Amino acid sequence: EGEEYWDMIIHPKRGRKALPLVDILTISATGSEFDNGGVISNLKTKEKIGAGLTFPVASICDPRYTYSVSPYQTAAGSIDIMSHVLEGYFSRTEDSIMSDYFAEAILKTVIDNLPIALKDPNNYSARANLMLASSYGCSGMPEYGKEYSGWPCHAMEHQLSAFYDITHGVGLAILTPKWMRYIVNKDSSTLSRFVRFAENVWNIHEGSDIEKAYKGIDCLENFFRESGIPMSLKEVNIDETHFEEMAIQADRNKRLSTSYVPLEKEDVIEIFKACL
């Protein structure tokens, strides 16, 4: 019942199952071929809502189908893969060793293969490795045994792309390094995790712990930039107009209180401002 289809999306008793879905993968990014997630946006109401009903019954994954993906979307999709991994990697659980090594392997796979795919779009090996990274990245497997981290960058980015026509991976690229710098300053207990990230993903072994942490974040940011992605909100024509409203939405139901470093509305606004 209702006057618009959107009523069905936001209704508390919305559908509990989906029609059988066959997925033919045409971009390496969200992991739709291997997970149950789906997201739908309503730019009129500034809402972006996810649901977990759409595990495909079968997926056709042929790297050749991604040869024609533009460099911009290839980079944006690859950044989304990395973000899926990073959201779980920055967790309070320190002894889920295999999950950490698995996450680091996926990150390094993207770091190694994205530049090749950008230079040579028809490189089967690069496209295949990015495709597998996509499947594993959002499968939940890199998070096995780890405390839930709240996925704060996705919570914040979903507001950017609910209010503006911005590519999801681009929003994540802009937000993630700024979020990293903000939380390592806010909570010194995160330092050891950032040192591990710098050492195991970027092979940084020189300097003090805080120097290594910042170098790791810089390497990530430079990798995004060198992939041809805008690295500030101003570059994608986003200003401060809706920051407060977006921050409130990002923390609806206090979801950011369970983040790796808990965030409140004021924290989110500061992170948005750092992205300008």
Side-chain angles (χ1 to χ4, degrees):
E1 297 180 1
E3 296 182 0
E4 297 185 10
Y5 290 121
W6 193 251
D7 294 337
M8 179 177 67
I9 301 299
I10 62 175
H11 195 281
K13 294 184 178 180
R14 63 183 177 180
R16 296 300 176 195
K17 59 182 179 179
L19 293 171
L21 176 72
V22 173
D23 180 270
I24 303 174
L25 191 61
T26 56
I27 184 171
S28 300
T30 67
S32 294
E33 69 280 7
F34 211 68
D35 68 34
N36 65 336
V39 177
I40 189 168
S41 298
N42 186 333
L43 291 177
K44 184 170 68 175
T45 62
K46 311 297 189 215
E47 293 174 282
K48 187 169 183 176
I49 294 176
L53 302 171
T54 51
F55 272 120
V57 296
S59 291
I60 298 170
C61 301
D62 185 338
R64 292 172 296 182
Y65 292 170
T66 65
Y67 285 177
S68 61
V69 177
S70 71
Y72 184 80
Q73 291 295 345
T74 297
S78 295
I79 290 165
D80 193 20
I81 297 169
M82 296 180 76
S83 180
H84 293 155
V85 176
L86 291 169
E87 295 277 38
Y89 183 76
F90 285 93
S91 162
R92 289 295 171 178
T93 304
E94 296 289 348
D95 62 350
S96 189
I97 306 302
M98 183 173 177
S99 294
D100 279 340
Y101 279 131
F102 190 21
E104 289 158 3
I106 297 170
L107 293 170
K108 293 173 81 169
T109 296
V110 176
I111 291 165
D112 289 346
N113 286 278
L114 175 57
I116 299 171
L118 293 177
K119 185 176 180 179
D120 179 9
N122 292 355
N123 187 297
Y124 184 92
S125 177
R127 292 291 192 178
N129 277 289
L130 289 175
M131 184 173 280
L132 193 58
S134 165
S135 297
Y136 284 146
C138 203
S139 67
M141 289 191 289
E143 296 174 78
Y144 282 174
K146 297 178 75 70
E147 181 180 340
Y148 181 60
S149 60
W151 285 47
C153 290
H154 272 69
M156 291 185 287
E157 199 295 317
H158 280 177
Q159 300 315 309
L160 290 179
S161 48
F163 279 75
Y164 299 93
D165 185 15
I166 180 176
T167 301
H168 178 54
V170 173
L172 290 170
I174 295 169
L175 279 164
T176 301
K178 307 301 189 298
W179 167 78
M180 287 178 164
R181 293 191 184 99
Y182 187 84
I183 66 166
V184 79
N185 282 327
K186 181 180 173 70
D187 186 347
S188 60
S189 70
T190 65
L191 185 57
S192 62
R193 175 63 26 174
F194 280 101
V195 170
R196 177 178 178 128
F197 173 66
E199 291 178 342
N200 289 12
V201 177
W202 299 106
N203 298 314
I204 296 168
H205 300 284
E206 301 292 331
S208 66
D209 282 356
I210 193 65
E211 288 172 338
K212 284 189 280 190
Y214 277 113
K215 285 179 183 177
I217 298 169
D218 290 344
C219 283
L220 182 70
E221 189 169 50
N222 290 336
F223 177 75
F224 291 164
R225 184 177 290 109
E226 290 167 4
S227 299
I229 292 296
M231 288 306 295
S232 72
L233 292 179
K234 288 182 179 178
E235 290 179 73
V236 290
N237 300 314
I238 295 177
D239 59 22
E240 297 185 44
T241 303
H242 299 292
F243 279 3
E244 182 164 358
E245 189 178 356
M246 289 192 297
I248 292 170
Q249 283 286 88
D251 193 32
R252 65 179 180 271
N253 301 321
K254 292 296 179 183
R255 65 173 290 184
L256 294 180
S257 65
T258 63
S259 296
Y260 176 55
V261 172
L263 301 175
E264 297 182 350
K265 181 187 76 172
E266 291 74 21
D267 298 305
V268 176
I269 291 173
E270 288 303 310
I271 294 169
F272 283 148
K273 287 181 178 178
C275 293
L276 288 169

